[in-house]
């Protein structure tokens, strides 16, 4: 009776049902699933790397704005810093009013897929008080 159990699958036996549907077993399923999943994994990896690139660009933009703002608040020349920022495709606007220096900057980051012509605009701004020794300059 025990041997007969393995030779004749029961109606409710899932393994017997799968064997009748696919007598070759699971041959080829792993390759087909991998072929479907691989492009998705590549796409998700590319989007993840692009997201990290956007985060790093935002940190660089904030650092640039902070440096320019502090330098302008001390009364030093910021022309070299602005030129360096423009080489990195960062648009910088420096304005001064009352006893405050304000710096605003923007940078565009392109989306990695050529079919999508979208860009992400990163912005950063910082306001610094002009140091007391440089107030009248």
């Amino acid at each position: 009776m025990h041997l007969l159990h393995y030779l004749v699958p029961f109606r409710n036996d899932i393994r017997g049902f799968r064997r009748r549907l696919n007598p070759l077993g699971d041959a080829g399923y792993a390759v087909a699933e991998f072929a479907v999943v691989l492009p998705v994994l590549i796409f998700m990896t590319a989007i993840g790397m692009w997201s990290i690139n956007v985060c790093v660009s935002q940190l660089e933009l904030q650092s640039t704005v902070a440096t320019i703002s502090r330098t302008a608040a001390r009364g030093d020349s910021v022309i070299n810093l602005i030129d360096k920022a423009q080489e990195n495709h960062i648009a910088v606007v420096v304005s001064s009013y009352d006893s405050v220096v304000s710096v605003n900057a923007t940078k565009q980051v392109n989306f990695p897929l050529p079919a999508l012509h979208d860009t992400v605009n990163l912005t950063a701004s910082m306001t610094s008080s002009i140091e007391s020794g440089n107030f009248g300059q």
Side-chain angles (χ1 to χ4, degrees), residues 22 24-39 41:
N22 187 7
L24 297 177
D26 292 335
Y29 279 123
V31 175
E33 289 172 359
F34 184 71
V36 170
V37 171
L38 184 64
L41 289 176

Side-chain angles (χ1 to χ4, degrees), residues 67-131:
T67 303
I68 292 172
S69 178
R70 281 182 270 140
T71 304
R74 278 182 281 177
D76 297 336
S77 176
V78 293
I79 294 172
N80 292 334
L81 295 173
I82 293 174
D83 289 340
K84 191 175 184 183
Q86 288 177 346
E87 290 175 4
N88 293 328
H89 306 288
I90 299 173
V92 179
V93 176
V94 179
S95 58
S96 175
Y97 53 92
D98 293 337
S99 63
V100 175
V101 173
S102 178
V103 179
N104 297 319
T106 59
K107 181 178 182 178
Q108 290 184 345
V109 180
N110 295 327
F111 199 69
L113 298 175
L116 300 174
H117 300 290
D118 291 339
T119 59
V120 175
N121 293 323
L122 304 176
T123 60
S125 62
M126 185 171 179
T127 304
S128 298
S129 296
I130 296 176
E131 293 181 5

